[in-house]
Amino acid sequence: MSDHFASSEAASADASTDLFFADAEPGDGQRWTTWPSVTPTERGPQPWPAWVVTSAGAFDTELGILKTGKEADVFLIERAVPDDPTQRTLLAAKRYRSSEQRSFHRSALYTEGRTTRNSRDTRALAKKSVHGREVAAAQWSFAEFEALCRMWELGAPVPYPVQVSGTEVLMEFLGDSAGRAAPRLAQLRSGRAELTDHYEQVVDIMRVFAAPGFAHGDLSAYNLLVHEGRVRVIDLPQIVDIIANPQGLDLLHRDCVNICDWFTRRRVECDAEELFAELVAASFA
Ligand SMILES: Nc1ncnc2c1ncn2[C@@H]1O[C@H](COP(=O)(O)OP(=O)(O)OP(=O)(O)O)[C@@H](O)[C@H]1O
Ligand SMILES: [Mg+2]
């Protein structure tokens, strides 16, 4: 269990309270919902989808790990009001790592010019102290949350961003009600017709990003999930401004090459250079 959730010792620290509020306190692997404790800017765009549980009486229950990664771990969370089946939802919690083992290989390319809110943070970041690593991890979670909000509002098929707090982003879980995550595009064994349809959906996603001048920056068949026949895009902390970022065009080009190589190997006709030219033109329009 992660340290975001109560351990049994913590949950039963006060035995007398346990006695009286046995049903109302978070148990093992649970915490109170973190929704009431975040500021309005740390919540997803309005209108909140009807499935978002906003009750202060809800518990968050950690149901398992969806994936551990180099930079973040993704957990499956249930947010639910006890004894109210109408207020129950599954969420994906992406938690950025602040440990020393975390690789910062993405940082240099994408974070040029990023500012911190105070000079203590800036110094801590520079020194890579424990606090500095926390600050860096939180910067990634806020960057991903902001990118998800922006792209959601532009109509891109990203998971709805529910909230961000510290190093954790909570978002819509793409999967079934039993908690099985939607497969990555890379895992599917699709036929030609389906692949062609998926390719067209991916290009549509790239167009939605490019129109206001963005590239995903790490697009691959691993960061695309296929949920109920629709291609959804995830893993956005590094989205780049194609024009303002000195690496913008290169990263857009790399996205085009990654995607077209993958589909070409599966005999879907596509041309990375043509796609790149179209998206560059769209982003400058
Ligand atoms: N909203 C979601 N719904 C369902 N599954 C998700 C969701 N977000 C992430 N996942 C699962 O977690 C995996 C890792 O997510 P993501 O790519 O955002 O993190 P990452 O740390 O960058 O991982 P990697 O280094 O493998 O790219 C995804 O491939 C997917 O299987
Ligand atoms: Mg990823």
Side-chain angles (χ1 to χ4, degrees):
M1 193 196 313
S2 76
D3 52 11
H4 288 252
F5 284 78
S7 69
S8 49
E9 297 99 274
S12 58
D14 182 347
S16 60
T17 315
D18 268 355
L19 209 63
F20 293 104
F21 301 104
D23 293 341
E25 289 298 315
D28 252 5
Q30 286 188 321
R31 68 182 180 196
W32 284 108
T33 169
T34 48
W35 176 265
S37 63
V38 299
T39 66
T41 56
E42 294 164 342
R43 292 179 181 156
Q46 304 252 21
W48 300 323
W51 54 261
V52 173
V53 173
T54 57
S55 165
F59 288 159
D60 291 344
T61 306
E62 197 169 280
L63 299 180
I65 295 189
L66 292 169
K67 174 139 193 324
T68 54
K70 286 189 297 290
E71 292 156 339
D73 301 314
V74 184
F75 293 78
L76 177 66
I77 304 286
E78 180 197 60
R79 175 165 285 177
V81 176
D83 302 324
D84 183 353
T86 63
Q87 295 202 61
R88 174 192 179 267
T89 186
L90 291 176
L91 300 172
K94 182 165 177 180
R95 296 184 188 142
Y96 281 86
R97 296 220 177 144
S98 53
S99 69
E100 264 174 271
Q101 297 87 335
R102 183 183 182 282
S103 128
F104 279 88
H105 75 269
R106 284 188 190 171
S107 305
L109 264 183
Y110 303 101
T111 54
E112 231 167 278
R114 196 178 276 178
T115 52
T116 62
R117 276 168 242 156
N118 68 51
S119 54
R120 176 171 175 245
D121 289 352
T122 309
R123 283 196 305 274
L125 267 174
K127 283 201 294 194
K128 297 199 164 78
S129 64
V130 173
H131 175 63
R133 289 194 295 270
E134 278 285 325
V135 173
Q139 280 196 339
W140 283 110
S141 62
F142 277 80
E144 173 139 41
F145 182 73
E146 275 166 23
L148 285 167
C149 290
R150 185 177 261 162
M151 290 304 150
W152 172 268
E153 288 182 308
L154 288 165
V158 296
Y160 176 77
V162 174
Q163 63 172 83
V164 61
S165 38
T167 55
E168 181 188 78
V169 182
L170 284 182
M171 66 185 103
E172 175 185 359
F173 169 67
L174 304 175
D176 64 21
S177 57
R180 279 181 296 256
R184 299 175 196 111
L185 178 60
Q187 293 171 295
L188 287 178
R189 297 284 162 265
S190 314
R192 267 290 273 296
E194 209 181 350
L195 277 167
T196 305
D197 173 58
H198 290 155
Y199 175 68
E200 279 159 12
Q201 291 192 48
V202 175
V203 171
D204 281 344
I205 291 172
M206 296 175 88
R207 287 188 182 122
V208 176
F209 275 65
F214 292 102
H216 181 284
D218 190 23
L219 202 58
S220 74
Y222 294 92
N223 285 333
L224 293 160
L225 306 185
V226 182
H227 184 232
E228 295 166 351
R230 306 307 301 164
V231 179
R232 310 281 298 258
V233 60
I234 59 164
D235 203 2
L236 273 71
Q238 71 292 306
I239 64 164
V240 284
D241 186 317
I242 298 172
I243 298 154
N245 185 309
Q247 312 286 337
L249 286 169
D250 287 347
L251 290 165
L252 174 63
H253 188 257
R254 193 179 70 180
D255 282 354
C256 294
V257 170
N258 280 347
I259 290 301
C260 287
D261 278 358
W262 192 87
F263 279 101
T264 302
R265 280 199 301 275
R266 284 156 186 82
R267 298 188 298 127
V268 174
E269 244 178 73
C270 49
D271 181 327
E273 299 309 322
E274 237 171 61
L275 177 60
F276 177 62
E278 183 207 313
L279 296 173
V280 171
S283 69
F284 278 88

